[in-house]
């Protein structure tokens, strides 16, 4: 499936695959910036889940705090102890439970080193998990209309018969909404996500696309539960204490053969000393978990509004505030105000000049944009004709191309290719100019150089 969104012309593609004998849905996503300019994007997958009073969100065990949209507010998690969405949860309320949240509420995990999130229904002992590389997919979110009259009214409006519901949202290249990331000209980003059902093992402590694990400690008993997304014969469930193997179980597991074993020990002691590893018959680790000693962590501060340009001390901060407003597509603050304040203080500042030129370029004011790029280039080449970054040369090439000054644009684009980051886009623009002048062999050579630097370009278009 694919779509081109109309504001910024970004192409989004998603392939959905079901595999034989595998109880998960694989989603392969691609994002492609089809334009000459850097663009920002936001990608969240958004499954809806039917809920009742027995529903619980399953976030990784290291998630200790959650943010609202735009990080405007923060709450400890899963036990909220303060005011969040104008609800007083003190002295302590488990907001992972649907029936404890009376008003429309979002929360997004601030960080986690785990690759999963999901949900579980304690009445029918079943749930759903999402698994993705947390380095690329840090976004873990729940949204609910709330367990109250206002929420019930919206549930009734938005579902025929499967309300109330919550949204379990998973973000790729983002951890909040809004939390846009950049796509450079002609850049392609790709990723994988997995969604899967699971049953009978409760609140998962760790998960992969192959298996998920829960371990619970009670008095002198340790309960281990394992669910797998396909049939694995003769797997080894190993329980270690301080790296010493204490118990091993050999068993078969599958979606309808769920492993559960209660193991009695003389002294549980520190739960951080216990580690469980699930290994298949070929020696591959399917999933593992070791509890961590969770020290008291300080809640991160909520986001604050940007200062007025005149109140910001450093030019770099003016540039970064303007760039932030562009990146997050802010509706009420104008990045121009910050760039112009920076140029008022230093008219030769390369960052603010390049940013102002790019803003004008996006708006079709090509002639007005050109001097800003030339000033930026003059600044960054004042000591050396070969700058560290080629963006200003590339942008100057665009401004000149749009003014039909192809010979000068050609020189600027070629200079941009001296820097690795701008090679594929620079070669692409050079090929366009040669093709427009019917210099076909040279254009072909340049296209191949472009594809050598960005081979994904060929498939994304």
């Amino acid at each position: 499936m694919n779509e081109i969104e109309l504001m910024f012309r970004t192409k989004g593609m998603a392939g959905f695959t079901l595999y034989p004998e595998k109880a998960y849905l694989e989603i392969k996503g691609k994002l492609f910036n089809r334009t000459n300019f850097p663009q920002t994007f936001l990608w969240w997958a958004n499954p809806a889940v039917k809920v009742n009073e027995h529903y619980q969100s399953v976030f990784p065990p290291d998630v200790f705090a959650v943010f609202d949209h735009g990080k405007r507010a923060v709450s400890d998690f899963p036990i909220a102890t303060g005011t969040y969405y104008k609800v007083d949860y003190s002295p302590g309320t488990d907001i992972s439970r649907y029936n404890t949240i009376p008003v429309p509420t979002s929360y997004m995990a601030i960080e986690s080193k785990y690759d999963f999130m999901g949900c579980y229904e304690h009445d029918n002992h079943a749930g759903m998990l999402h698994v993705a590389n947390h380095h690329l997919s840090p976004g873990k979110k729940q949204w609910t209309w709330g367990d109250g009259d206002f929420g019930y009214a919206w549930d009734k409006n938005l579902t025929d018969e499967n309300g109330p519901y919550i949204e379990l949202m998973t973000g790729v290249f983002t951890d909040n909404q809004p939390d846009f990331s950049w796509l450079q000209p002609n850049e392609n980003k790709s990723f994988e996500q997995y969604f899967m059902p699971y049953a009978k093992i409760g609140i998962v402590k760790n998960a992969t696309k192959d298996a998920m694990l829960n371990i619970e400690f009670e008095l002198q008993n340790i309960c281990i539960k394992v669910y797998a997304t396909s049939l694995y014969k003769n797997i080894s469930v190993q329980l270690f204490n301080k790296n010493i193997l204490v118990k091993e179980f050999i068993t078969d597991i599958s979606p309808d053969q769920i492993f559960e074993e209660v193991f009695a020990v003389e002294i549980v002691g520190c739960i951080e000393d216990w580690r469980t590893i699930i290994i298949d018959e070929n020696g591959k680790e399917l999933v593992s978990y070791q509890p961590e000693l969770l020290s008291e962590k300080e809640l991160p501060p909520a986001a604050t509004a940007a200062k007025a340009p005149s109140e910001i001390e450093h030019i770099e901060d003016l540039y970064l505030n303007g760039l932030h407003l562009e990146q997050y597509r802010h509706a009420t603050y104008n990045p121009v105000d910050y760039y112009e304040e920076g140029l008022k203080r230093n008219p030769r500042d390369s960052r603010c000049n390049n940013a102002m030129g790019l803003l004008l370029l996006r708006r079709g004011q090509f002639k007005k944009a050109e001097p800003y790029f030339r000033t930026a280039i003059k600044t960054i080449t004042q000591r050396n004709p070969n700058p560290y970054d080629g963006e200003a040369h590339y942008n100057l090439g665009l401004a000149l191309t749009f003014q039909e000054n192809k010979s000068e644009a050609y020189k600027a684009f070629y200079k941009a290719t001296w820097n690795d980051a701008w090679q594929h886009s620079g070669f692409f623009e050079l090929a366009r100019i040669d093709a427009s002048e019917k210099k076909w062999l040279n254009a072909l050579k340049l296209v191949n150089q472009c594809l050598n630097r960005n081979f994904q370009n060929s498939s994304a278009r």
Side-chain angles (χ1 to χ4, degrees):
M1 300 174 63
N2 75 86
E3 184 175 9
I4 296 172
E5 59 91 5
L6 297 181
M7 282 186 77
F8 298 94
R9 312 304 297 170
T10 302
K11 184 175 183 178
M13 295 161 277
F16 300 84
T17 305
L18 290 171
Y19 292 92
E21 311 301 328
K22 299 287 185 181
Y24 55 66
L25 171 67
E26 177 189 81
I27 301 176
K28 287 188 175 181
K30 286 187 177 182
L31 294 160
F32 178 50
N33 178 6
R34 305 163 65 249
T35 73
N36 308 96
F37 311 121
Q39 306 290 5
T40 62
F41 73 94
L42 200 61
W43 179 288
W44 287 80
N46 186 11
V49 181
K50 183 179 180 180
V51 296
N52 58 28
E53 66 271 21
H54 304 287
Y55 166 87
Q56 184 173 7
S57 290
V58 179
F59 277 23
D62 62 344
V63 175
F64 70 95
V66 291
F67 274 124
D68 177 25
H69 289 259
K71 302 182 179 179
R72 297 168 300 183
V74 62
S75 171
D76 33 10
F77 183 89
I79 307 301
T81 58
T83 299
Y84 192 61
Y85 277 82
K86 300 181 180 180
V87 176
D88 184 2
Y89 289 110
S90 61
T93 304
D94 186 353
I95 60 171
S96 71
R97 301 274 187 163
Y98 161 75
N99 64 347
T100 66
I101 303 175
V103 298
T105 301
S106 278
Y107 54 72
M108 288 164 260
I110 60 160
E111 61 182 358
S112 177
K113 68 178 184 181
Y114 292 86
D115 292 338
F116 77 94
M117 68 164 290
C119 62
Y120 194 74
E121 291 270 11
H122 290 276
D123 54 343
N124 60 18
H125 306 290
M128 180 193 73
L129 282 187
H130 167 264
V131 171
N133 180 350
H134 71 276
H135 296 291
L136 297 179
S137 180
K140 298 172 171 61
K141 174 190 173 183
Q142 176 186 286
W143 155 260
T144 176
W145 287 105
D147 188 14
D149 290 340
F150 184 84
Y152 302 153
W154 273 105
D155 288 324
K156 186 176 181 180
N157 286 336
L158 295 171
T159 65
D160 292 326
E161 55 188 23
N162 286 322
Y165 74 98
I166 60 94
E167 298 174 17
L168 272 179
M169 302 181 68
T170 62
V172 176
F173 299 104
T174 176
D175 72 348
N176 197 269
Q177 294 173 323
D179 177 33
F180 291 90
S181 290
W182 288 101
L183 272 173
Q184 294 301 318
N186 306 299
E187 184 184 359
N188 183 327
K189 289 188 187 295
S190 58
F191 53 88
E192 295 178 356
Q193 298 176 283
Y194 296 87
F195 289 91
M196 62 207 70
Y198 76 104
K200 298 183 180 179
I201 68 170
I203 303 303
V204 170
K205 300 302 189 298
N206 198 11
T208 67
K209 67 183 179 68
D210 301 312
M212 48 216 71
L213 168 65
N214 184 18
I215 181 169
E216 298 170 347
F217 299 88
E218 185 176 352
L219 300 177
Q220 272 75 48
N221 292 326
I222 300 175
C223 181
I224 303 171
K225 302 176 184 179
V226 184
Y227 178 96
T229 56
S230 61
L231 173 61
Y232 290 95
K233 290 184 175 291
N234 301 315
I235 67 142
S236 172
V237 179
Q238 300 176 357
L239 181 64
F240 292 83
N241 182 266
K242 297 181 178 179
N243 295 322
I244 298 173
L245 182 62
V246 176
K247 186 68 175 179
E248 180 179 28
F249 306 91
I250 305 298
T251 184
D252 298 344
I253 57 173
S254 71
D256 58 359
Q257 292 175 271
I258 297 164
F259 175 84
E260 181 175 356
E261 190 74 34
V262 178
F263 179 62
V265 296
E266 292 185 6
I267 300 175
V268 170
C270 298
I271 64 172
E272 308 89 54
D273 294 334
W274 294 92
R275 177 175 172 83
T276 308
I277 306 175
I278 315 302
I279 301 173
D280 71 10
E281 60 183 349
N282 298 315
K284 174 189 172 183
E285 180 181 303
L286 300 179
V287 67
S288 65
Y289 176 66
Q290 182 170 1
E292 297 179 63
L293 180 61
L294 296 179
S295 57
E296 193 69 27
K297 295 184 179 180
E298 185 177 348
L299 284 181
T304 57
K307 294 180 180 179
S310 60
E311 298 174 357
I312 294 176
E313 181 179 358
H314 300 292
I315 294 176
E316 181 180 33
D317 291 332
L318 286 165
Y319 165 71
L320 291 174
N321 273 272
L323 187 66
H324 167 77
L325 296 174
E326 286 196 76
Q327 182 171 348
Y328 279 47
R329 308 179 186 178
H330 207 285
T332 56
Y333 285 68
N334 190 348
V336 171
D337 297 337
Y338 294 84
Y339 299 145
E340 287 185 337
E341 179 67 24
L343 293 174
K344 176 182 175 183
R345 300 182 195 181
N346 180 5
R348 298 179 68 253
D349 184 81
S350 63
R351 298 158 300 184
C352 293
N353 270 292
N354 186 67
M356 272 298 299
L358 190 53
L359 270 175
L360 293 169
L361 206 58
R362 291 179 186 274
R363 297 172 180 176
Q365 296 176 290
F366 313 130
K367 191 171 183 178
K368 285 186 177 181
E370 182 184 339
Y372 288 99
F373 299 132
R374 292 196 181 277
T375 301
I377 290 170
K378 186 176 181 180
T379 298
I380 62 178
T381 59
Q382 61 182 323
R383 302 289 292 178
N384 190 316
N386 308 316
Y388 183 81
D389 180 57
E391 182 182 3
H393 283 94
Y394 173 82
N395 289 338
L396 175 61
L398 290 179
L400 293 167
T401 298
F402 294 143
Q403 295 178 77
E404 300 295 330
N405 188 346
K406 294 182 182 180
S407 62
E408 287 294 310
Y410 204 85
K411 289 167 57 177
F413 285 133
Y414 243 122
K415 191 65 176 180
T417 66
W418 285 31
N419 298 95
D420 181 79
W422 294 96
Q423 281 189 0
H424 70 88
S425 289
F427 285 132
F428 183 60
E429 295 300 333
L430 289 166
R432 278 178 157 172
I433 293 175
D434 276 342
S436 72
E437 297 177 350
K438 299 184 179 180
K439 298 176 182 177
W440 305 118
L441 290 178
N442 209 43
L444 180 60
K445 178 182 176 181
L446 289 163
V447 164
N448 285 327
Q449 286 180 280
C450 167
L451 294 177
N452 285 338
R453 302 303 302 153
N454 183 5
F455 72 92
Q456 290 183 328
N457 220 354
S458 59
S459 61
R461 287 185 177 274

